[in-house]
Amino acid sequence: MLRSLVRSIDARLLDHVLGPGRRELAALLPELGDPDPASVTGAGAARLFEAVLLLVERATRHGRGLMLVLEDLHWADPSARALLAWLVGELQRMPVLLVATYRTDTDPGDPLPALLVELDRADGCERLELAPLAPSAADALLAMLGGPALDPAGRAAIARRAGGIPLYLEE
């Protein structure tokens, strides 16, 4: 997410947008230069969180809104989950839409459900659970993807095996 955001900023403005948090952000994005070694532990982690927030804040100046997409949150490490939980509270005053995707079929003891409970408590957070596609929608998607190469019986077999999950249908 941060790499995409940094790449979207005009190179002439990058130093201004990164500001004093450049060395902290370099711990996550080596292309920004030499990182501050303290960025990943103790108080340095707090500075890193602040640097991420400052980057997002500066990227939204001049009335520009921003949509940040975090995919596969179920694979996030503890520090990424902590950053997300902290950012959610801080981003509420900014023109930022934060979208996170995750799988709901977690293993017992997985830390994701605890994070989701925490996020559910935050103002402005909304959870939208997508159900698998209905058989007719799965068939329509397969017809679009496979064209005439897939007959109705082949589409039905694929739809059953994919369980209506669009990723599996495409694959």
Side-chain angles (χ1 to χ4, degrees):
M1 172 192 77
L2 293 175
R3 183 167 282 116
S4 294
L5 178 57
V6 167
R7 287 180 181 160
S8 73
I9 298 168
D10 185 313
R12 296 169 295 182
L13 301 174
L14 188 59
D15 283 335
H16 171 72
V17 173
L18 291 173
R22 184 181 196 114
R23 289 194 67 214
E24 281 81 10
L25 291 169
L28 298 174
L29 303 171
E31 63 263 37
L32 295 179
D34 293 327
D36 179 353
S39 295
V40 292
T41 59
R47 286 198 326 265
L48 176 61
F49 285 17
E50 289 288 341
V52 170
L53 181 62
L54 182 61
L55 171 62
V56 171
E57 180 182 57
R58 288 179 172 204
T60 61
R61 287 200 179 144
H62 311 296
R64 276 185 46 191
L66 186 62
M67 182 170 83
L68 302 173
V69 179
L70 302 169
E71 292 190 275
D72 298 325
L73 190 57
H74 51 279
W75 288 331
D77 64 11
S79 59
R81 289 191 303 270
L83 174 60
L84 174 62
W86 181 79
L87 273 178
V88 164
E90 298 298 319
L91 293 176
Q92 292 178 12
R93 296 172 295 281
M94 294 182 208
V96 175
L97 172 64
L98 180 61
V99 177
T101 67
Y102 60 90
R103 295 197 47 166
T104 56
D105 56 343
T106 58
D107 294 325
D110 190 300
L112 181 62
L115 173 63
L116 296 176
V117 168
E118 185 177 348
L119 296 177
D120 283 343
R121 286 189 219 129
D123 289 336
C125 281
E126 183 176 335
R127 193 186 311 196
L128 176 64
E129 191 166 330
L130 302 178
L133 295 176
S136 60
D139 184 65
L141 177 61
L142 287 169
M144 181 187 74
L145 294 170
L150 281 177
D151 64 5
R155 291 194 310 263
I158 293 170
R160 272 193 309 279
R161 186 162 184 195
I165 298 173
L167 172 69
Y168 298 157
L169 290 164
E170 281 190 50
E171 292 300 315

